[in-house]
Amino acid sequence: MKIAKDFKLAASIAFTHMRAKLKQTIIATVGVAFGITVFIFMVSVMEGTNEFTEDVVFEQSPHLRLYNEIALAEHSILDRAAPSAWNVVHHQKPKDILPNLKDGIRAVEELGKDHRVLAISASVSTQLFYRLGSASVNGRVLGINFENEDALFALGSKIVEGGHEKLATQPNSLLMGVGLARKLNVATGDKLSVTTEKGDNFQVTIIGLFKTGLTDIDNQQSYASLKTVQRFLGVPASYITDIKVKLHDKELAPEIVEELENRYQYSGSDWKKDNSALLEGNVLRNMITYGVASTILLVAGFGIFNILTMMIYEKMKDIAILKATGFSDTDVRWVFLIQAIVIGFIGAVMGLIFGFLLAYATSRMPFESDVMITMDHLPVSFKPIYYISGFTFGILTTILAGYMPSRHAAKVDPITILRG
Amino acid sequence: MNILEAKDIHKYFREPTEFHVLKGLTFHIEKGKFISITGKSGSGKSTLLYLLSTMDTDFEGSIKINGEEMRGKSNRWLADFRNHHIGFVFQFHFLLPEFSALRNVMLPGLKRAQQPPDEVEHKAYELLKLLDVEDQAKKRAVLLSGGQQQRVAIARALINDPLIVMGDEPTGNLDSRNSAIVFDLFSQLAAERGQTMLMVTHDDEFAEKSDHIIHLADGRIDKQ
Ligand SMILES: Nc1ncnc2c1ncn2[C@@H]1O[C@H](COP(=O)(O)OP(=O)(O)OP(=O)(O)O)[C@@H](O)[C@H]1O
Ligand SMILES: [Mg+2]
């Protein structure tokens, strides 16, 4: 009870001090508010962008994929001839092997029965040239079974023009990326020719256009049926180059990849490995965001520290009088700590409000980007955790900034002041 | 009954050079008496008063107030003791500049928290009235004249009905009329309520009227 009364009294003294030094108090509060505003705004926009890119990229990224990598032979023929000697082969050339998966069809069937697998799609991919008149654009074509690929990447929802229905039935039909179509200046229904790496020419028809939002894909890729691409390459129906898998639990991908690599002797990769640059970029961006925001808060905290320290020097006499008339060291410490807490609290709340408003205004802002094709306004994230951490960090900084001057005030020896 | 007993008090200042200010003071003060401390400037009157007020704890010897030894007590204990039992009027009246005169008087009473705030306020107002500054009650302390400030400080010293009121030239800034008011108030409190008055003064007339004089010279008590 006595403690509560002491606290109330200390608070009333603190408020009188703040009222008397209104200008400095407001400046300190605005400093904190500014720090938190920037923190909230930066985190919201940065994380929003991260989440957006992640969504776009991961949607186009299988949980795991299997392929055949063209590798150098680990053991040369020399090793067999002279097993005990040191054999060095300079400028070894890759073996001339086909990039297809051996027994790929059987692997697809087996994996289809695996209970961890949600969906699976086999495909044949190859580089080729798209030609229209004198224009020639280097690109890729992916032979797929549309239903399977759709189960993995929601391909159907990416089609912006035409349709996929004829892909399986009409020979040499293509679904083309919008970027690639723009480069070639073609639209649905147009015909053009493609040239394979071996130099074979084929006449193809565009039956639709798609847009994934990923420039890499939209600007150079087309989809065709498995059969069509196999015909381009002159290979049998058992020829597939990639198996892409969607799992029930994508966190299991790395271990399953390892298991499949061993079982089938294929090369494999998972979504984490494939997008490591993106994931690392996110970590880096987050570090920068939090770094900048903390620096601003630290500066605001330093402002509070300064103002309170100055205030305490000005108020030395007051402190001495309070102590002489029976206020304890603790009471005096509270007088100044309360000022810091009030400044921190009001500043933090204001910062949260302004930060939210700024982030909200940004999320309403129309924004078009060439890189992020599917974006029409800036992506902003509004997770409560940003607000909780911003508030906590703001309060902590101000309390820390107020603590040292307050302790100093509590230690003031009244007699040296009153002696004059 | 002795309200205060001082035994062989020595006080040194170590900065800038060692300086022996009080050289073994022994005396006692009876409850309800009006005591004056005199001596020429620099003789150590204020220094002694700060020791007796428990604010300065750096000394040798023993000080007992109301039978309680002051040496070796914690800061918190001493602050509480001052709040309850000692009223102090400083040589250079010291009020809290941003607070009103009334609030200045009330603060030690609010800290003591024995009476509800409105009673403390009422009492503070009565004290200001006794000292003839009630018309300044709502003004901020900085705006008051020196003499007014001193009277407000006296009112503050009295708010918790202390056992001992200590003053360092409490009438130094007052005209003879107000000086007389303060003196009469002090004597009255001593006589009627048994509060002990311990006043440093340069004013010979003031000193002559008191019950006892402690005269300091060369760090010792001259006559008592
Ligand atoms: N903090 C200090 N450090 C060193 N010497 C001090 C200190 N405070 C006081 N003194 C010295 O101690 C002596 C006594 O000082 P004190 O203030 O007690 O005198 P006083 O009797 O109250 O004088 P006055 O009547 O002028 O107020 C003086 O010589 C003074 O210079
Ligand atoms: Mg003095």
Side-chain angles (χ1 to χ4, degrees), chain A residues 2 5-6 9 12-13 16-17 20 315 317-318 321 323-327 329-331 415 418-419, chain B residues 11 13 50 55-56 75-76 79 82-83 90 94-99 103 107-108 110-113 156:
Chain A
K2 174 81 172 133
K5 276 185 184 163
D6 279 352
L9 190 56
S12 88
I13 297 172
T16 309
H17 279 173
K315 293 263 172 287
K317 273 189 182 175
D318 292 35
I321 294 164
K323 287 191 173 180
T325 55
F327 285 79
D329 298 359
T330 317
D331 294 328
I415 215 68
L418 296 177
R419 244 185 222 126
Chain B
K11 170 71 185 175
F13 285 116
Y50 288 137
M55 280 189 278
D56 191 351
N75 269 355
R76 175 182 283 276
R82 282 198 293 279
N83 184 246
F90 306 103
F94 298 110
L95 299 175
L96 302 177
E98 287 124 5
F99 292 77
R103 190 93 181 142
L107 277 176
L110 295 174
K111 168 62 190 166
R112 187 175 190 175
R156 182 180 60 195

Side-chain angles (χ1 to χ4, degrees), chain A residues 353-392:
Chain A
I353 294 172
F354 285 129
F356 172 77
L357 291 180
L358 207 58
Y360 185 75
T362 309
S363 75
R364 299 280 108 183
M365 207 138 66
F367 181 87
E368 304 224 351
S369 157
D370 272 346
V371 188
M372 304 280 180
I373 305 177
T374 55
M375 184 157 72
D376 51 6
H377 57 89
L378 277 178
V380 179
S381 171
F382 291 98
K383 284 197 190 136
I385 184 71
Y386 311 149
Y387 296 82
I388 293 168
S389 52
F391 185 79
T392 315

Side-chain angles (χ1 to χ4, degrees), chain A residues 20-35:
Chain A
K21 291 260 169 296
L22 199 58
K23 217 158 99 187
Q24 273 141 299
T25 309
I26 289 176
I27 290 172
T29 313
V30 168
V32 178
F34 180 73

